[in-house]
Amino acid sequence: YRLLFICGNQGQTSDEYMIQEEEWDRDMLLDPAWEQQQRKTFTAWCNSHLRKAGVQIENIEEDFRNGLKLMLLLEVISGERLPKPDRGKMRFHKIANVNKALDFITSKGVKLVSIGAEEIVDGNVKMTLGMIWTIILRFAIQDISVEETSAKEGLLLWCQRKTAPYRNVNVQNFHVSWKDGLAFCALIHRHRPDLLDYSKLNKDDPLGNLNLAFDIAEKHLDIPKMLDAEDIINTPKPDERAIMTYVSCFYHAFAGAEQVAETAANRICKVLGVNQENEKLMEEYERLASELLEWIRRTTPWLENRTPEKTMAEMQRKLEDFRDYRRQHKPPKVQEKCQLEINFNTLQTKLRISNRPAFMPSEGKMVSDIASAWQGLEQAEKGYEEWLLTEIRRLERVDHLAEKFRQKATNHENWASGKELFLSQKDYETATLTEIRALLRKHEAFESDLAAHQDRVEQIAAIAQELNELDYHDVAAVNQRCQSICDLWDKLGTLTQKRREALERTEKLLETIDQLFLEFAKRSAPFNNWMEGAMEDLQDMFIVHTIEEVQSLIAAHEQFKATLPEADSERQAILGIHNEVQKISQSYGIKASFINPYSTITTEELLNKWEKVKKLVPQRDSALQEEMARQHAHERLRRQFAAQANLIGPWIQTRMEEIGRCSLEIGGTLEDQMTQLKQIEHVIVAYKPNIDKLEGDHQLIQESLVFDNKHTNYTMEHIRVGWELLLTTIARTINEIETQILTRDAKGISQQQMNEFRSSFNHFDRKKNGAMETDDFRACLISMGYDLVRSFTVGLMEMFIVILHSRLFQGEVEFARIMMLVDPNATGIVSFQSFIDFMTRETADTDTAEQVVASFRILAADKPYILVEELRRELPPEQAEYCIMRMPPYAGHGAPPGALDYTAFSTALYGESDL
């Protein structure tokens, strides 16, 4: 006969079982020893269950023929009641009882093929053994499940995992892998190392190994002896069914204890995993905080350095270095600061959720310390930028004044050149009366010219004084030159006065004078002075910052041009005087010299200067027009910057409002809020090119030395601060939502509860600033049905106090206790995160030190200490080594060397500790 069966939910198809059974049947036909092994094993297996009912069998094919013990066996192993058996002794009674047993087996999802009640009643050995094997598969092996494998494969995988660490054991099947007995001994030692010493076993003594394992299993594990060591050794390939049946008894004997130990190990792994992750976060925070504070410490002195440079180019280089700092060096540090705050908040949330003490950073590395250092950096940065711009304006003004000083000083020195020698000569001593008169008139003209130069000398002195006030780098040379000019001026004044006195003394002797030359001298000197002043004004440098200032210069230039016709008339009049002299000289034959004795100004000089004035006028026009074009370009830069700034500023404000509204929404889930915030974050990141473009426009404005903009109230500093605040706000808000999600998931809070908490918080947040004041928080608790007067056990003195005080005082005491939880710093406000932590703390169940101690006690088999080998056997390698390194030695009596105190270790995890 061939036995075919299919067991439900075993993870194998019917074809696979058919193929296996065919192979087993063929083997049995070839080797009768297998049949004998199955008789012994199956008989012992059945008796291990029947003894619970006080029944035994001796001959497996005879004792099941009437069906009564077969039905009893099925009731014992299934725990269910079968139909009432027939008590008659006739053949049809026996067949009826066996059919009831077979129907019960079929009802458990097993399809029996070619097995009939008649064969069992007739004592067919192969059919009886096949039926018993089917029962063993269904009730002892089918439900075995290890890592998504079941039945035979699951049992084999379980054996491989448990015996893997043992030498000379390699379980690959259920026949030859067990012949030397070491696999049985390894299973026993893995679960009960106190029952045998595996290190003393010898692979070459299979009989001793097998008998030792069978005896220990029968005596200590309540597993009957189902196999004979001699049969296993003397059979080339032991019966697989017999081995599987016996090994399944080991699995059922150890599976329950393994599950308890695995649960305890998982709890410890979970607690230790949380602690290790928190330690990594703490170390990462300390590292990032140290690096950021070191960068601030190095950068702040550079920003506080106010050493001025001597030239504009050097100051421009400093400004470019500052721009590089703003564009390249600072933005990554802003991101690091934001990430540091996020990491700190996440760590504190994880510590609260896991019932750990709050993290206290090293001295000087608190978030507030970093914020304070950052604020100092910002202040130094702002002051440095203002100083740079002010210094550039000063150097621009200084360079302009220095050039103006050089021009005026050069013109004055050229004019004064030779005047001292002229005033010092004594030509009047040998001059005729006519010559004396000429000298006198000439001297009067010189005095007029000298008076006209008084303003120029005062201008030169005023410019030198301003250069001193502006700290011009070459001020010593300026002062020296100015002093030289002033000294010469004083000396010329003294010499002029002396010469006049000398001429006046001889004036009585001089009566002849040429009125025309005198008139020429008087009129040409002022005119010449006017032309020199005009040339200076036309060549004068100018500095303006607005179109209106250029227009003012153009208007003044137009007024000057309007005076040119009158000046031309004066020029012609002066030339007419000279022409009249020529005419008189020619008409009357006078051989007078054409050199005017009263003036050093000649007509050629007047003509040359006049031509130069006419040439400088259009040049001045061109320069003013170019400056007008430059100011228009500056105006375009102002308008271009203002157009973008007036869009970006409100845009940033709008995103801030969106973030605020999103963080206060109640209707959706936290994941919906997170999605909205991520979308807003994406929009913000995508908007970054607009900020960069505005930075570029601002750089162009600064390079063009444009310092004001009437078209917008936004400065680049406003935009930068707003942008950095926006980036920080979105990152912080996302972190808060992540923290709420983490709190919700860890504490098992439903979305509806989160919405109720948010709704209550928003309702009592009267100022809408994300925080409740003390009275608002009290009202919120009362509105949510929270009893502010809790029942608690008190002693005699406390009961006396309760009697003396009213219930109102009890409520104040309870509320004060709650405020210590939600507002430990006594700020007078309750944040939403503190509110959520309090509400979840009141209802959530978290791991405690007592639970961890109980888990360790399970692994230690109720001992007050635990051994290193027990930790390494029950925990993953990483968690086991973590415990071994940190667990203190056990100080109690009766402990072996190397015993560890798991109670102190578990308590330290939840107290003040360096863990």
Side-chain angles (χ1 to χ4, degrees):
Y1 296 95
R2 183 171 61 186
L3 172 63
L4 300 177
F5 59 92
I6 303 173
C7 296
N9 300 323
Q10 289 185 355
Q12 287 183 295
T13 64
S14 60
D15 293 338
E16 291 172 341
Y17 276 107
M18 290 169 63
I19 293 171
Q20 292 176 0
E21 288 303 313
E22 288 175 355
E23 293 175 352
W24 294 336
D25 288 344
R26 286 196 296 269
D27 292 340
M28 283 195 297
L29 291 175
L30 294 174
D31 190 357
W34 282 14
E35 180 178 322
Q36 183 63 26
Q37 291 180 16
Q38 288 188 18
R39 280 174 177 269
K40 294 179 181 179
T41 302
F42 291 179
T43 299
W45 184 84
C46 292
N47 285 332
S48 69
H49 292 285
L50 287 172
R51 69 184 178 184
K52 300 175 183 176
V55 179
Q56 294 285 316
I57 64 172
E58 298 295 335
N59 190 314
I60 195 166
E61 68 269 20
E62 293 294 333
D63 292 346
F64 285 142
R65 291 179 63 183
N66 62 5
L68 295 176
K69 290 184 178 180
L70 179 60
M71 294 179 67
L72 182 60
L73 174 65
L74 291 172
E75 286 185 345
V76 171
I77 63 179
S78 68
E80 302 180 18
R81 295 289 296 177
L82 271 69
K84 185 176 180 180
D86 293 347
R87 292 297 179 181
K89 297 183 179 181
M90 303 298 290
R91 177 179 174 82
F92 72 87
H93 290 121
K94 297 178 181 180
I95 291 174
N97 289 336
V98 173
N99 276 329
K100 291 178 183 178
L102 295 179
D103 291 341
F104 179 79
I105 295 173
T106 304
S107 69
K108 295 304 179 181
V110 179
K111 293 182 180 180
L112 300 174
V113 181
S114 300
I115 296 180
E118 292 80 1
E119 286 82 355
I120 304 301
V121 173
D122 292 340
N124 187 312
V125 176
K126 289 187 179 294
M127 289 300 172
T128 303
L129 292 176
M131 178 188 67
I132 297 300
W133 173 241
T134 302
I135 294 173
I136 293 173
L137 280 174
R138 173 60 183 85
F139 293 100
I141 299 177
Q142 174 181 330
D143 294 333
I144 295 175
S145 177
V146 179
E147 295 186 5
E148 300 183 358
T149 62
S150 59
K152 177 184 176 182
E153 290 77 7
L155 183 59
L156 181 62
L157 179 59
W158 179 79
C159 294
Q160 291 172 342
R161 293 291 173 83
K162 295 302 179 181
T163 61
Y166 292 88
R167 58 182 175 83
N168 297 327
V169 178
N170 183 17
V171 178
Q172 298 297 328
N173 49 57
F174 286 107
H175 37 81
V176 297
S177 295
W178 304 82
K179 289 191 64 175
D180 59 7
L182 291 179
F184 290 110
C185 293
L187 282 179
I188 296 173
H189 185 268
R190 178 61 186 268
H191 297 89
R192 292 291 302 275
D194 56 311
L195 297 180
L196 60 83
D197 187 354
Y198 185 84
S199 62
K200 296 181 179 180
L201 299 180
N202 186 359
K203 180 177 177 64
D204 297 329
D205 183 18
L207 182 62
N209 296 338
L210 288 169
N211 285 325
L212 175 64
F214 296 161
D215 292 341
I216 291 176
E218 184 176 22
K219 180 179 179 181
H220 298 283
L221 303 179
D222 198 24
I223 299 175
K225 189 173 182 181
M226 300 182 183
L227 302 172
D228 286 335
E230 292 80 2
D231 293 342
I232 296 176
I233 295 173
N234 296 329
T235 304
K237 182 179 179 182
D239 179 55
E240 189 171 34
R241 296 182 183 183
I243 299 295
M244 285 180 64
T245 301
Y246 188 53
V247 172
S248 68
C249 294
F250 282 90
Y251 174 84
H252 291 293
F254 295 137
E258 284 183 351
Q259 187 64 34
V260 174
E262 183 179 355
T263 302
N266 288 338
R267 176 181 291 274
I268 293 175
C269 289
K270 175 185 175 184
V271 172
L272 296 180
V274 169
N275 220 62
Q276 288 174 310
E277 182 180 358
N278 290 341
E279 286 182 5
K280 291 178 181 178
L281 290 176
M282 293 176 190
E283 293 172 358
E284 181 66 10
Y285 175 87
E286 291 283 342
R287 183 184 66 80
L288 291 176
S290 298
E291 292 176 356
L292 183 58
L293 288 172
E294 177 61 19
W295 179 82
I296 294 174
R297 185 190 65 78
R298 294 195 314 267
T299 306
T300 302
W302 174 67
L303 293 174
E304 291 176 345
N305 183 13
R306 300 291 189 272
T307 304
E309 301 294 343
K310 296 181 179 180
T311 64
M312 178 70 78
E314 292 173 333
M315 288 304 297
Q316 288 286 1
R317 280 195 295 273
K318 277 197 171 185
L319 181 61
E320 189 61 32
D321 292 342
F322 180 74
R323 290 199 187 103
D324 289 340
Y325 157 80
R326 273 273 180 79
R327 289 192 300 261
Q328 301 176 11
H329 302 295
K330 184 182 178 185
K333 298 303 177 182
V334 173
Q335 184 64 29
E336 288 179 12
K337 175 177 175 290
C338 180
Q339 188 62 43
L340 194 65
E341 295 175 356
I342 291 173
N343 291 351
F344 182 83
N345 293 334
T346 301
L347 174 59
Q348 297 293 44
T349 300
K350 288 185 176 181
L351 290 173
R352 286 196 302 270
I353 292 173
S354 58
N355 202 21
R356 301 299 199 278
F359 170 56
M360 181 63 65
S362 303
E363 184 177 358
K365 296 180 182 178
M366 294 288 294
V367 173
S368 58
D369 298 326
I370 296 173
S372 176
W374 188 266
Q375 183 180 5
L377 177 73
E378 295 276 5
Q379 291 176 351
E381 176 184 326
K382 182 179 180 182
Y384 186 74
E385 184 179 23
E386 292 175 352
W387 175 77
L388 279 176
L389 297 178
T390 301
E391 192 65 17
I392 288 174
R393 293 193 191 99
R394 183 187 70 81
L395 288 178
E396 182 185 23
R397 175 66 177 168
V398 164
D399 290 345
H400 171 69
L401 290 176
E403 182 60 25
K404 192 171 184 179
F405 175 85
R406 283 191 290 270
Q407 288 185 2
K408 287 186 175 294
T410 300
N411 291 336
H412 179 76
E413 288 169 345
N414 291 338
W415 173 86
S417 177
K419 295 298 189 291
E420 181 179 358
L421 180 60
F422 165 72
L423 293 174
S424 300
Q425 65 182 349
K426 297 182 179 181
D427 53 345
Y428 56 85
E429 294 180 351
T430 58
T432 62
L433 179 59
T434 302
E435 291 172 344
I436 289 300
R437 283 191 170 182
L439 290 175
L440 183 57
R441 300 298 181 266
K442 183 178 180 180
H443 187 72
E444 290 176 353
F446 174 78
E447 286 180 330
S448 178
D449 194 12
L450 185 66
H453 278 78
Q454 177 70 35
D455 291 337
R456 298 183 186 179
V457 174
E458 291 175 355
Q459 290 177 7
I460 291 171
I463 293 173
Q465 179 62 31
E466 189 170 356
L467 287 173
N468 276 272
E469 293 172 354
L470 292 176
D471 196 22
Y472 178 52
H473 67 91
D474 199 12
V475 71
V478 170
N479 290 336
Q480 182 178 0
R481 192 171 184 183
C482 181
Q483 186 63 43
S484 176
I485 291 173
C486 292
D487 292 343
L488 179 59
W489 179 259
D490 293 337
K491 190 173 184 179
L492 289 178
T494 302
L495 291 175
T496 301
Q497 182 63 30
K498 289 181 179 180
R499 184 172 178 80
R500 166 167 283 280
E501 292 174 355
L503 291 175
E504 286 178 349
R505 283 194 302 267
T506 58
E507 185 178 9
K508 296 179 180 181
L509 302 175
L510 306 176
E511 297 177 349
T512 304
I513 188 169
D514 191 344
Q515 292 296 329
L516 292 176
F517 275 132
L518 182 58
E519 184 179 1
F520 177 90
K522 288 183 177 181
R523 295 184 68 172
S524 64
F527 183 73
N528 181 65
N529 186 62
W530 175 85
M531 285 193 296
E532 289 181 350
M535 287 188 291
E536 285 186 8
D537 292 338
L538 291 173
Q539 296 179 86
D540 190 19
M541 297 176 62
F542 54 83
I543 178 170
V544 294
H545 297 94
T546 64
I547 295 176
E548 290 77 12
E549 292 177 357
V550 179
Q551 290 175 342
S552 176
L553 290 177
I554 292 175
H557 185 60
E558 292 298 327
Q559 292 178 359
F560 168 77
K561 289 195 294 185
T563 63
L564 288 178
E566 181 179 355
D568 188 51
S569 299
E570 178 66 12
R571 179 186 66 83
Q572 293 177 3
I574 294 173
L575 293 177
I577 295 173
H578 177 74
N579 293 334
E580 185 67 19
V581 171
Q582 295 290 338
K583 182 179 179 182
I584 293 173
S585 177
Q586 293 176 2
S587 299
Y588 296 98
I590 300 174
K591 297 180 180 180
S593 173
F594 289 97
I595 299 174
N596 193 330
Y598 305 112
S599 176
T600 59
I601 301 172
T602 64
T603 55
E604 291 77 12
E605 184 178 356
L606 292 177
L607 290 173
N608 290 337
K609 289 183 179 180
W610 178 255
E611 291 300 322
K612 189 172 182 180
V613 168
K614 290 196 297 181
K615 183 178 179 181
L616 290 173
V617 168
Q619 292 178 359
R620 184 71 168 184
D621 284 333
S622 177
L624 290 173
Q625 291 303 321
E626 289 176 359
E627 182 62 28
M628 177 64 76
R630 192 169 73 92
Q631 290 303 322
H632 277 296
H634 291 177
E635 186 67 8
R636 284 193 297 274
L637 289 176
R638 291 188 183 97
R639 292 180 183 275
Q640 180 177 342
F641 177 87
Q644 293 185 75
N646 290 334
L647 290 176
I648 292 175
W651 186 90
I652 292 175
Q653 182 62 32
T654 302
R655 299 293 82 75
M656 291 290 291
E657 293 171 358
E658 288 180 0
I659 295 171
R661 289 195 299 271
C662 181
S663 64
L664 295 177
E665 284 183 359
I666 299 176
T669 64
L670 291 175
E671 285 75 12
D672 293 338
Q673 287 180 271
M674 179 61 70
T675 300
Q676 295 179 17
L677 289 172
K678 288 293 184 180
Q679 291 173 351
I680 295 174
E681 184 183 39
H682 179 73
V683 170
I684 291 172
V685 172
Y687 201 77
K688 181 63 166 57
N690 296 318
I691 304 298
D692 296 337
K693 185 176 183 304
L694 189 64
E695 283 281 7
D697 292 342
H698 180 252
Q699 180 176 345
L700 292 176
I701 286 178
Q702 283 195 334
E703 290 174 351
S704 300
L705 301 179
V706 177
F707 302 110
D708 57 353
N709 194 339
K710 65 182 179 180
H711 303 294
T712 180
N713 293 326
Y714 293 101
T715 66
M716 195 62 227
E717 183 65 25
H718 294 154
I719 298 299
R720 291 193 193 103
V721 172
W723 179 253
E724 293 176 0
L725 179 60
L726 179 61
L727 292 178
T728 303
T729 301
I730 186 63
R732 185 179 294 115
T733 305
I734 289 175
N735 177 248
E736 290 176 356
I737 297 301
E738 290 174 343
T739 300
Q740 294 177 24
I741 291 174
L742 185 61
T743 301
R744 180 198 66 190
D745 295 340
K747 301 296 185 178
I749 303 172
S750 66
Q751 185 60 46
Q752 181 180 0
Q753 287 177 308
M754 289 296 292
N755 290 341
E756 289 176 357
F757 292 160
R758 170 58 77 181
S759 177
S760 299
F761 185 90
N762 290 345
H763 177 75
F764 288 93
D765 181 12
R766 292 182 299 125
K767 295 184 179 180
K768 305 303 178 186
N769 59 356
M772 287 190 292
E773 296 182 354
T774 304
D775 293 338
D776 297 333
F777 180 58
R778 186 200 306 272
C780 180
L781 292 179
I782 294 173
S783 71
M784 296 180 70
Y786 191 84
D787 188 4
L788 291 180
V789 183
R790 292 190 173 183
S791 60
F792 51 93
T793 304
V794 296
L796 182 61
M797 180 59 69
E798 287 78 2
M799 183 61 72
F800 177 72
I801 295 175
V802 170
I803 294 174
L804 291 180
H805 292 77
S806 66
R807 185 173 179 83
L808 177 61
F809 177 75
Q810 296 177 11
E812 290 297 324
V813 171
E814 175 61 12
F815 183 72
R817 183 191 69 81
I818 295 173
M819 286 302 296
M820 286 296 294
L821 296 176
V822 300
D823 184 21
N825 296 326
T827 60
I829 60 174
V830 180
S831 67
F832 180 68
Q833 186 60 46
S834 298
F835 178 72
I836 289 293
D837 289 344
F838 170 74
M839 297 306 297
T840 55
R841 190 185 298 113
E842 294 297 307
T843 58
D845 182 20
T846 59
D847 290 324
T848 64
E850 291 76 12
Q851 291 175 325
V852 177
V853 171
S855 298
F856 273 116
R857 185 176 294 112
I858 292 174
L859 298 186
D862 288 331
K863 300 191 297 292
Y865 57 83
I866 192 167
L867 301 178
V868 172
E869 53 267 23
E870 291 176 334
L871 288 172
R872 288 177 173 160
R873 183 177 68 238
E874 302 297 342
L875 297 180
E878 183 178 357
Q879 274 75 19
E881 295 305 322
Y882 180 84
C883 291
I884 293 170
M885 290 177 62
R886 288 167 170 75
M887 197 173 287
Y890 180 72
H893 297 290
L900 302 177
D901 190 347
Y902 60 79
T903 302
F905 173 75
S906 302
T907 304
L909 287 178
Y910 292 86
E912 294 296 331
S913 174
D914 294 333
L915 290 178

